[in-house]
Amino acid sequence: MADLLARHHRAEELRAYAAAEGLGPARWRLVEVLEQCGDIEGAIAACRQADRPMAPDPRSAVQLAQLLARHGRGNEAIDVMCALADTRNGDDWTLHTLFDLHLNDGRPGDGLAHLDTLAAIRGGEEDWDLYWIRLPLIAALDGVDAAIAQARSHPEGTIWYASSHIADLLARAGRIEEAVMVLEEHTQNSHDLAGYLIDLGRVQETLALLQRRRLRTPSLWNGPRYDDPPS
């Protein structure tokens, strides 16, 4: 119903429908329509209504923050996500969104300071899932090499999944050859490695890599293959 009303530009009926429905998908369809029509304040107001103060929904907060950021209100977007991160400390999805906003708003130092505060609350130790969030902030503030050194100082910094994040830092800096060398140290990174090889135009190496990966990957299907000859 919400999609039907939106397609026919019946915004007032959609607003009434969203109000009657409460906090369901119609509310978010209304936000999209209002933004598309240029009613940014109306879209923000509708978004805030969906973000219940007594029972905050992280998805609502993220959508509100992204809406604010799209319209040049980065400080407000960061405030929304800071409030959510303070109540959900250790939620990596929330923290990723918050520090992407810090990065895009040109405030990597503020992002690192907030991360340090949250880490101190957790006792100062961070698993890699949370630790790697700080790497793009360090790269923006002190350079890629400083971020890589920080990554490798972590207890998990030499494990294959850490190599993927280190390679991403290098690739974003245009150092794709170095990213390839990092990923070649671990066979588990073949998917990411293939993408960088394609970027370098090394197509034959990419095909060989993916073929080896296909041969190594066990099949979950034990029945006949489509290319098996008929019995």
Side-chain angles (χ1 to χ4, degrees):
M1 178 64 77
D3 286 339
L4 181 62
L5 292 169
R7 281 198 299 271
H8 292 275
H9 311 291
R10 295 163 69 163
E12 290 308 314
E13 291 174 78
L14 176 56
R15 191 189 302 274
Y17 181 67
E21 187 198 44
L23 299 173
R27 174 74 59 185
W28 298 115
R29 196 68 181 94
L30 173 63
V31 171
E32 292 173 5
V33 168
L34 292 172
E35 183 182 14
Q36 290 165 3
C37 293
D39 184 2
I40 307 306
E41 292 302 326
I44 291 171
C47 213
R48 289 191 187 280
Q49 288 173 0
D51 189 22
R52 297 164 289 179
M54 298 304 295
D57 178 359
R59 293 170 298 177
S60 300
V62 168
Q63 289 183 326
L64 173 57
Q66 291 173 338
L67 173 62
L68 289 164
R70 282 196 298 272
H71 296 280
R73 296 165 66 165
N75 287 339
E76 293 176 70
I78 288 172
D79 287 345
V80 168
M81 290 306 301
C82 279
L84 181 64
D86 288 344
T87 61
R88 299 175 67 89
N89 187 4
D91 182 338
D92 58 345
W93 179 64
T94 298
L95 295 179
H96 288 165
T97 304
L98 171 58
F99 297 110
D100 279 346
L101 290 171
H102 275 100
L103 197 59
N104 294 337
D105 207 47
R107 296 168 51 185
D110 292 344
L112 286 168
H114 199 113
L115 265 178
D116 289 341
T117 299
L118 294 175
I121 294 171
R122 292 193 300 271
E125 296 185 5
E126 291 181 316
D127 291 335
W128 184 260
D129 284 347
L130 294 176
Y131 187 81
W132 78 264
I133 301 170
R134 67 180 60 241
L135 301 181
L137 299 169
I138 296 170
L141 196 64
D142 299 320
V144 172
D145 291 322
I148 291 173
Q150 189 81 11
R152 287 179 169 153
S153 71
H154 189 274
E156 297 173 71
T158 58
I159 299 177
W160 67 270
Y161 47 77
S163 297
S164 181
H165 293 117
I166 292 171
D168 182 63
L169 291 172
L170 290 163
R172 288 174 183 269
R175 296 159 61 176
I176 300 179
E177 291 279 5
E178 292 175 70
V180 166
M181 288 189 288
V182 167
L183 291 174
E184 285 177 334
E185 296 174 5
H186 302 278
T187 58
Q188 297 97 322
N189 290 317
S190 59
H191 184 272
D192 290 339
L193 176 57
Y196 293 131
L197 289 172
I198 290 172
D199 290 341
L200 292 171
R202 292 158 61 175
V203 177
Q204 292 304 317
E205 290 178 65
T206 306
L207 291 173
L209 173 69
L210 294 176
Q211 180 65 19
R212 289 196 301 272
R213 181 185 179 199
R214 179 175 177 271
L215 292 174
R216 284 197 307 267
T217 304
S219 173
L220 297 179
W221 167 250
N222 294 321
R225 289 160 47 98
Y226 288 112
D227 53 355
D228 285 341
S231 56

